[in-house]
Structure formats: structure tokens, C-alpha cells
Amino acid sequence: MTMKEGQLEPFVREYYNALYKQGGDVMSTVIEPRVGREPGYTLIILGIVGLLVLPVGIAILLAHFVRVSSYRRRRDGVKRAATTGRLRSFEPVLINEEFLEGKADMSAGLFMGVADDGPELEHEQLMDAMTEVQFAEPKSAIDAMMKDDRYGVFRRRTIPLKSGGVRAVTFFDMSLVRARHKMPLTNSAEYFAMVEPGATQNAAFFVPDVVVAYAKARAAGQQVPMPQEPLLAASGQQR
């Protein structure tokens, strides 16, 4: 039986709320380590030393505080997405082939879904949107968007669909981590993400397969223990 997003969403939120209460660092599991960890003190030390040459020291300290501010903004967005966001089913558009073949542990991918606060996207509109994206005309706006392969953390872009429809459909830049997905990663796999509704830079991240399985069991009325987040368990942060 295929379960809808609305049936699973309460139990995914339940899981993440419990994880936060346990002190789990969800931020470090959902985006690449370069931006998923809180900045350290290296730049502060360099900045203090650099104050001997005033413009250099000030520039280094400002760079540090910009990094800290960016990290905290993303961290807070991830928490909102995890605990109060919407569960969305995403359709893959472009995924790194080496990642699909198991030759890479991490990758970026381009996916499509909805970024608003409404219910699930109507199946008919989703099929229309997928068809238009798959058969986008060369040099069209959609073609240009798909060829823009620069990965942006939490970047999302509204797709200019000719088919229209009641709901806007969005391209999402997403981070993929193989340890969080047990199923074969193919273009036909099931991708569920927690999304903070709204504009670009709002958080969106994929839910691990074990958490999706937990939500499906709970939605079916089963009492099952909460699973471990694969990356937190591997680092010893969740037991």
C-alpha cells in the first residue's frame, strides 16, 4: 500500500522532535560537512593576531561572524523543517551517475516538488510537470535551469511551466548521503523530504529510509521503536 505524505508527516515530525530533545545534531546529517558543522575558532584566532595589521584583522573577524551567522540561520531552518515542516515526496530530475552506481558516498541532485504549505500535489499536475520537464525544449527557460549544475545549499527555483496548474512546482538542490538510504538509489526510488515552506534558502532535506519505514509502520497502527539516524549513530551521538 502506498501511503500519502499527510499520513506519514506526523510520525516523521514525532521522530525529529524526539531527536532534538535527545540533543541530536540534525544539521550535521542533512547537508555536506563543509557547511553542516558549526564554524570553529580558527578565524577568531587569526583575526586577533591580524589586528596587528588592522584592516586584515577586521576582515578576518568579519568573515568569521558571517560564517557563524550563516550556519546558525541554516541550523534554525533545519530545525523548523524537521519539527514543524511539511513532508514532501520529491521526483528526481538529475542525480550523479556515480552516486547511483554506489561509487560515491555523497552527491548533489536536482529534484522537483512543491515548496508551499498546502496538501500533496495533485497527481495529474505532477505528471504534467514531469512531462514538461523531461521534454523541455532546447534553450528554453526550463532547459537552462537544468543545465545550471551549480549546487546551492537549500536553493529552490520555481519552474516556469507552460501547463500551469493551481500549484507552483519547484526545483530543489538536494544533498544525498548514501548511508541514509538503504534502498537501491535509482531514478524510480522513493524520495521523502522535510521542507520548510517558502522561498529559496529555506531548509529542505531528505528523510532517511529507516525513518520513513518507522513512519509507515506507525501510520499503519504498529508500535515500533524509534530508529537511529544513520549518521548520528555512526558518530556515537545517538544510541
Side-chain angles (χ1 to χ4, degrees), residues 72-96:
R72 290 177 177 171
R73 184 174 63 252
R74 288 170 176 162
R75 178 198 62 194
D76 294 344
V78 166
K79 185 173 183 178
R80 287 192 297 271
T83 58
T84 63
R86 303 307 306 269
L87 182 68
R88 299 299 189 199
S89 177
F90 279 3
E91 293 295 330
V93 179
L94 296 170
I95 304 177
N96 183 289

PDB file of all heavy atoms in Angstrom, residues 72-96:
ATOM      1  N   ARG A  72      24.141  29.436  11.744  1.00  0.00           N
ATOM      2  CA  ARG A  72      23.021  29.446  12.685  1.00  0.00           C
ATOM      3  C   ARG A  72      21.686  29.628  11.975  1.00  0.00           C
ATOM      4  O   ARG A  72      20.677  29.055  12.390  1.00  0.00           O
ATOM      5  CB  ARG A  72      23.251  30.544  13.723  1.00  0.00           C
ATOM      6  CG  ARG A  72      24.400  30.202  14.681  1.00  0.00           C
ATOM      7  CD  ARG A  72      24.692  31.308  15.657  1.00  0.00           C
ATOM      8  NE  ARG A  72      25.750  30.904  16.583  1.00  0.00           N
ATOM      9  CZ  ARG A  72      26.339  31.717  17.451  1.00  0.00           C
ATOM     10  NH1 ARG A  72      25.964  32.993  17.525  1.00  0.00           N
ATOM     11  NH2 ARG A  72      27.302  31.274  18.239  1.00  0.00           N
ATOM     12  N   ARG A  73      21.669  30.416  10.905  1.00  0.00           N
ATOM     13  CA  ARG A  73      20.441  30.585  10.137  1.00  0.00           C
ATOM     14  C   ARG A  73      20.011  29.260   9.513  1.00  0.00           C
ATOM     15  O   ARG A  73      18.839  28.891   9.555  1.00  0.00           O
ATOM     16  CB  ARG A  73      20.663  31.654   9.060  1.00  0.00           C
ATOM     17  CG  ARG A  73      19.403  31.987   8.257  1.00  0.00           C
ATOM     18  CD  ARG A  73      19.640  33.139   7.310  1.00  0.00           C
ATOM     19  NE  ARG A  73      20.640  32.831   6.299  1.00  0.00           N
ATOM     20  CZ  ARG A  73      21.861  33.320   6.257  1.00  0.00           C
ATOM     21  NH1 ARG A  73      22.266  34.168   7.194  1.00  0.00           N
ATOM     22  NH2 ARG A  73      22.695  32.987   5.300  1.00  0.00           N
ATOM     23  N   ARG A  74      20.990  28.540   8.944  1.00  0.00           N
ATOM     24  CA  ARG A  74      20.676  27.240   8.358  1.00  0.00           C
ATOM     25  C   ARG A  74      20.271  26.232   9.427  1.00  0.00           C
ATOM     26  O   ARG A  74      19.345  25.445   9.235  1.00  0.00           O
ATOM     27  CB  ARG A  74      21.884  26.729   7.576  1.00  0.00           C
ATOM     28  CG  ARG A  74      22.136  27.485   6.287  1.00  0.00           C
ATOM     29  CD  ARG A  74      23.466  27.111   5.691  1.00  0.00           C
ATOM     30  NE  ARG A  74      23.678  27.749   4.400  1.00  0.00           N
ATOM     31  CZ  ARG A  74      24.865  27.884   3.825  1.00  0.00           C
ATOM     32  NH1 ARG A  74      25.947  27.431   4.441  1.00  0.00           N
ATOM     33  NH2 ARG A  74      24.982  28.470   2.659  1.00  0.00           N
ATOM     34  N   ARG A  75      20.981  26.235  10.553  1.00  0.00           N
ATOM     35  CA  ARG A  75      20.667  25.304  11.650  1.00  0.00           C
ATOM     36  C   ARG A  75      19.238  25.507  12.139  1.00  0.00           C
ATOM     37  O   ARG A  75      18.494  24.534  12.339  1.00  0.00           O
ATOM     38  CB  ARG A  75      21.637  25.541  12.803  1.00  0.00           C
ATOM     39  CG  ARG A  75      21.392  24.683  14.034  1.00  0.00           C
ATOM     40  CD  ARG A  75      22.077  25.276  15.252  1.00  0.00           C
ATOM     41  NE  ARG A  75      21.537  26.597  15.560  1.00  0.00           N
ATOM     42  CZ  ARG A  75      22.125  27.458  16.393  1.00  0.00           C
ATOM     43  NH1 ARG A  75      23.256  27.150  16.989  1.00  0.00           N
ATOM     44  NH2 ARG A  75      21.569  28.640  16.629  1.00  0.00           N
ATOM     45  N   ASP A  76      18.839  26.761  12.318  1.00  0.00           N
ATOM     46  CA  ASP A  76      17.475  27.044  12.783  1.00  0.00           C
ATOM     47  C   ASP A  76      16.447  26.644  11.732  1.00  0.00           C
ATOM     48  O   ASP A  76      15.359  26.160  12.065  1.00  0.00           O
ATOM     49  CB  ASP A  76      17.336  28.525  13.126  1.00  0.00           C
ATOM     50  CG  ASP A  76      18.189  28.928  14.331  1.00  0.00           C
ATOM     51  OD1 ASP A  76      18.637  28.031  15.066  1.00  0.00           O
ATOM     52  OD2 ASP A  76      18.409  30.142  14.524  1.00  0.00           O
ATOM     53  N   GLY A  77      16.808  26.832  10.448  1.00  0.00           N
ATOM     54  CA  GLY A  77      15.901  26.429   9.372  1.00  0.00           C
ATOM     55  C   GLY A  77      15.712  24.929   9.317  1.00  0.00           C
ATOM     56  O   GLY A  77      14.604  24.438   9.092  1.00  0.00           O
ATOM     57  N   VAL A  78      16.802  24.190   9.532  1.00  0.00           N
ATOM     58  CA  VAL A  78      16.720  22.729   9.555  1.00  0.00           C
ATOM     59  C   VAL A  78      15.811  22.269  10.689  1.00  0.00           C
ATOM     60  O   VAL A  78      14.983  21.367  10.512  1.00  0.00           O
ATOM     61  CB  VAL A  78      18.125  22.105   9.702  1.00  0.00           C
ATOM     62  CG1 VAL A  78      18.033  20.628  10.060  1.00  0.00           C
ATOM     63  CG2 VAL A  78      18.914  22.280   8.417  1.00  0.00           C
ATOM     64  N   LYS A  79      15.936  22.910  11.845  1.00  0.00           N
ATOM     65  CA  LYS A  79      15.090  22.520  12.978  1.00  0.00           C
ATOM     66  C   LYS A  79      13.619  22.793  12.677  1.00  0.00           C
ATOM     67  O   LYS A  79      12.753  21.961  12.981  1.00  0.00           O
ATOM     68  CB  LYS A  79      15.509  23.269  14.244  1.00  0.00           C
ATOM     69  CG  LYS A  79      14.739  22.815  15.478  1.00  0.00           C
ATOM     70  CD  LYS A  79      15.281  23.452  16.745  1.00  0.00           C
ATOM     71  CE  LYS A  79      14.541  22.922  17.977  1.00  0.00           C
ATOM     72  NZ  LYS A  79      15.080  23.501  19.240  1.00  0.00           N
ATOM     73  N   ARG A  80      13.327  23.931  12.068  1.00  0.00           N
ATOM     74  CA  ARG A  80      11.924  24.227  11.715  1.00  0.00           C
ATOM     75  C   ARG A  80      11.408  23.210  10.706  1.00  0.00           C
ATOM     76  O   ARG A  80      10.270  22.727  10.819  1.00  0.00           O
ATOM     77  CB  ARG A  80      11.811  25.649  11.156  1.00  0.00           C
ATOM     78  CG  ARG A  80      11.965  26.748  12.192  1.00  0.00           C
ATOM     79  CD  ARG A  80      11.547  28.095  11.618  1.00  0.00           C
ATOM     80  NE  ARG A  80      12.388  28.507  10.501  1.00  0.00           N
ATOM     81  CZ  ARG A  80      13.504  29.214  10.629  1.00  0.00           C
ATOM     82  NH1 ARG A  80      13.936  29.577  11.823  1.00  0.00           N
ATOM     83  NH2 ARG A  80      14.199  29.569   9.556  1.00  0.00           N
ATOM     84  N   ALA A  81      12.231  22.896   9.694  1.00  0.00           N
ATOM     85  CA  ALA A  81      11.801  21.912   8.686  1.00  0.00           C
ATOM     86  C   ALA A  81      11.560  20.553   9.319  1.00  0.00           C
ATOM     87  O   ALA A  81      10.580  19.863   9.001  1.00  0.00           O
ATOM     88  CB  ALA A  81      12.859  21.808   7.588  1.00  0.00           C
ATOM     89  N   ALA A  82      12.446  20.153  10.241  1.00  0.00           N
ATOM     90  CA  ALA A  82      12.366  18.820  10.839  1.00  0.00           C
ATOM     91  C   ALA A  82      11.183  18.681  11.780  1.00  0.00           C
ATOM     92  O   ALA A  82      10.518  17.641  11.809  1.00  0.00           O
ATOM     93  CB  ALA A  82      13.661  18.510  11.582  1.00  0.00           C
ATOM     94  N   THR A  83      10.897  19.713  12.551  1.00  0.00           N
ATOM     95  CA  THR A  83       9.915  19.579  13.636  1.00  0.00           C
ATOM     96  C   THR A  83       8.540  20.137  13.300  1.00  0.00           C
ATOM     97  O   THR A  83       7.544  19.708  13.889  1.00  0.00           O
ATOM     98  CB  THR A  83      10.442  20.265  14.906  1.00  0.00           C
ATOM     99  OG1 THR A  83      10.704  21.655  14.628  1.00  0.00           O
ATOM    100  CG2 THR A  83      11.733  19.601  15.388  1.00  0.00           C
ATOM    101  N   THR A  84       8.472  21.086  12.367  1.00  0.00           N
ATOM    102  CA  THR A  84       7.164  21.675  12.021  1.00  0.00           C
ATOM    103  C   THR A  84       6.950  21.780  10.517  1.00  0.00           C
ATOM    104  O   THR A  84       5.928  22.311  10.077  1.00  0.00           O
ATOM    105  CB  THR A  84       7.009  23.083  12.634  1.00  0.00           C
ATOM    106  OG1 THR A  84       8.013  23.960  12.081  1.00  0.00           O
ATOM    107  CG2 THR A  84       7.166  23.046  14.150  1.00  0.00           C
ATOM    108  N   GLY A  85       7.927  21.307   9.719  1.00  0.00           N
ATOM    109  CA  GLY A  85       7.829  21.435   8.270  1.00  0.00           C
ATOM    110  C   GLY A  85       6.860  20.445   7.647  1.00  0.00           C
ATOM    111  O   GLY A  85       6.169  19.683   8.332  1.00  0.00           O
ATOM    112  N   ARG A  86       6.823  20.450   6.319  1.00  0.00           N
ATOM    113  CA  ARG A  86       5.934  19.562   5.571  1.00  0.00           C
ATOM    114  C   ARG A  86       6.736  18.423   4.955  1.00  0.00           C
ATOM    115  O   ARG A  86       7.822  18.625   4.416  1.00  0.00           O
ATOM    116  CB  ARG A  86       5.223  20.332   4.452  1.00  0.00           C
ATOM    117  CG  ARG A  86       4.418  21.534   4.909  1.00  0.00           C
ATOM    118  CD  ARG A  86       3.424  21.205   6.020  1.00  0.00           C
ATOM    119  NE  ARG A  86       2.531  20.111   5.691  1.00  0.00           N
ATOM    120  CZ  ARG A  86       1.343  20.269   5.115  1.00  0.00           C
ATOM    121  NH1 ARG A  86       0.901  21.480   4.802  1.00  0.00           N
ATOM    122  NH2 ARG A  86       0.584  19.227   4.858  1.00  0.00           N
ATOM    123  N   LEU A  87       6.185  17.214   5.043  1.00  0.00           N
ATOM    124  CA  LEU A  87       6.794  16.067   4.395  1.00  0.00           C
ATOM    125  C   LEU A  87       6.368  16.071   2.936  1.00  0.00           C
ATOM    126  O   LEU A  87       5.181  16.114   2.628  1.00  0.00           O
ATOM    127  CB  LEU A  87       6.356  14.768   5.068  1.00  0.00           C
ATOM    128  CG  LEU A  87       6.987  13.493   4.492  1.00  0.00           C
ATOM    129  CD1 LEU A  87       8.471  13.451   4.794  1.00  0.00           C
ATOM    130  CD2 LEU A  87       6.292  12.250   5.037  1.00  0.00           C
ATOM    131  N   ARG A  88       7.362  16.027   2.034  1.00  0.00           N
ATOM    132  CA  ARG A  88       7.080  16.071   0.604  1.00  0.00           C
ATOM    133  C   ARG A  88       7.728  14.894  -0.112  1.00  0.00           C
ATOM    134  O   ARG A  88       8.833  14.481   0.212  1.00  0.00           O
ATOM    135  CB  ARG A  88       7.626  17.371  -0.012  1.00  0.00           C
ATOM    136  CG  ARG A  88       7.020  18.650   0.549  1.00  0.00           C
ATOM    137  CD  ARG A  88       5.536  18.701   0.315  1.00  0.00           C
ATOM    138  NE  ARG A  88       4.951  19.993   0.653  1.00  0.00           N
ATOM    139  CZ  ARG A  88       3.662  20.166   0.874  1.00  0.00           C
ATOM    140  NH1 ARG A  88       2.825  19.137   0.805  1.00  0.00           N
ATOM    141  NH2 ARG A  88       3.179  21.359   1.167  1.00  0.00           N
ATOM    142  N   SER A  89       7.017  14.381  -1.097  1.00  0.00           N
ATOM    143  CA  SER A  89       7.563  13.368  -1.977  1.00  0.00           C
ATOM    144  C   SER A  89       8.189  14.080  -3.172  1.00  0.00           C
ATOM    145  O   SER A  89       7.519  14.856  -3.850  1.00  0.00           O
ATOM    146  CB  SER A  89       6.457  12.413  -2.437  1.00  0.00           C
ATOM    147  OG  SER A  89       6.969  11.469  -3.338  1.00  0.00           O
ATOM    148  N   PHE A  90       9.478  13.849  -3.397  1.00  0.00           N
ATOM    149  CA  PHE A  90      10.198  14.516  -4.484  1.00  0.00           C
ATOM    150  C   PHE A  90      10.402  13.574  -5.658  1.00  0.00           C
ATOM    151  O   PHE A  90      10.579  12.364  -5.479  1.00  0.00           O
ATOM    152  CB  PHE A  90      11.570  15.001  -4.003  1.00  0.00           C
ATOM    153  CG  PHE A  90      11.543  16.300  -3.243  1.00  0.00           C
ATOM    154  CD1 PHE A  90      10.361  16.958  -2.963  1.00  0.00           C
ATOM    155  CD2 PHE A  90      12.726  16.869  -2.796  1.00  0.00           C
ATOM    156  CE1 PHE A  90      10.339  18.150  -2.259  1.00  0.00           C
ATOM    157  CE2 PHE A  90      12.733  18.069  -2.091  1.00  0.00           C
ATOM    158  CZ  PHE A  90      11.535  18.706  -1.825  1.00  0.00           C
ATOM    159  N   GLU A  91      10.410  14.167  -6.848  1.00  0.00           N
ATOM    160  CA  GLU A  91      10.710  13.411  -8.057  1.00  0.00           C
ATOM    161  C   GLU A  91      12.115  13.774  -8.527  1.00  0.00           C
ATOM    162  O   GLU A  91      12.454  14.950  -8.635  1.00  0.00           O
ATOM    163  CB  GLU A  91       9.706  13.738  -9.167  1.00  0.00           C
ATOM    164  CG  GLU A  91       8.289  13.258  -8.887  1.00  0.00           C
ATOM    165  CD  GLU A  91       8.200  11.740  -8.834  1.00  0.00           C
ATOM    166  OE1 GLU A  91       8.996  11.067  -9.533  1.00  0.00           O
ATOM    167  OE2 GLU A  91       7.334  11.224  -8.109  1.00  0.00           O
ATOM    168  N   PRO A  92      12.969  12.769  -8.786  1.00  0.00           N
ATOM    169  CA  PRO A  92      14.333  13.069  -9.236  1.00  0.00           C
ATOM    170  C   PRO A  92      14.357  13.591 -10.665  1.00  0.00           C
ATOM    171  O   PRO A  92      13.608  13.107 -11.518  1.00  0.00           O
ATOM    172  CB  PRO A  92      15.041  11.718  -9.129  1.00  0.00           C
ATOM    173  CG  PRO A  92      13.952  10.709  -9.274  1.00  0.00           C
ATOM    174  CD  PRO A  92      12.720  11.323  -8.656  1.00  0.00           C
ATOM    175  N   VAL A  93      15.190  14.578 -10.889  1.00  0.00           N
ATOM    176  CA  VAL A  93      15.384  15.128 -12.240  1.00  0.00           C
ATOM    177  C   VAL A  93      16.798  14.789 -12.723  1.00  0.00           C
ATOM    178  O   VAL A  93      16.971  14.234 -13.803  1.00  0.00           O
ATOM    179  CB  VAL A  93      15.165  16.659 -12.251  1.00  0.00           C
ATOM    180  CG1 VAL A  93      15.395  17.223 -13.656  1.00  0.00           C
ATOM    181  CG2 VAL A  93      13.756  17.004 -11.773  1.00  0.00           C
ATOM    182  N   LEU A  94      17.795  15.113 -11.901  1.00  0.00           N
ATOM    183  CA  LEU A  94      19.183  14.811 -12.242  1.00  0.00           C
ATOM    184  C   LEU A  94      19.906  14.322 -10.988  1.00  0.00           C
ATOM    185  O   LEU A  94      19.879  14.984  -9.953  1.00  0.00           O
ATOM    186  CB  LEU A  94      19.899  16.067 -12.771  1.00  0.00           C
ATOM    187  CG  LEU A  94      19.377  16.673 -14.083  1.00  0.00           C
ATOM    188  CD1 LEU A  94      20.021  18.036 -14.315  1.00  0.00           C
ATOM    189  CD2 LEU A  94      19.668  15.742 -15.264  1.00  0.00           C
ATOM    190  N   ILE A  95      20.543  13.147 -11.075  1.00  0.00           N
ATOM    191  CA  ILE A  95      21.344  12.610  -9.971  1.00  0.00           C
ATOM    192  C   ILE A  95      22.667  12.124 -10.543  1.00  0.00           C
ATOM    193  O   ILE A  95      22.704  11.535 -11.621  1.00  0.00           O
ATOM    194  CB  ILE A  95      20.630  11.433  -9.261  1.00  0.00           C
ATOM    195  CG1 ILE A  95      19.248  11.844  -8.774  1.00  0.00           C
ATOM    196  CG2 ILE A  95      21.457  10.949  -8.075  1.00  0.00           C
ATOM    197  CD1 ILE A  95      18.458  10.712  -8.125  1.00  0.00           C
ATOM    198  N   ASN A  96      23.743  12.382  -9.816  1.00  0.00           N
ATOM    199  CA  ASN A  96      25.064  11.947 -10.231  1.00  0.00           C
ATOM    200  C   ASN A  96      25.082  10.444 -10.473  1.00  0.00           C
ATOM    201  O   ASN A  96      24.685   9.650  -9.615  1.00  0.00           O
ATOM    202  CB  ASN A  96      26.088  12.320  -9.148  1.00  0.00           C
ATOM    203  CG  ASN A  96      27.497  11.958  -9.544  1.00  0.00           C
ATOM    204  OD1 ASN A  96      27.851  10.799  -9.582  1.00  0.00           O
ATOM    205  ND2 ASN A  96      28.291  12.961  -9.845  1.00  0.00           N
TER     206      ASN A  96
END
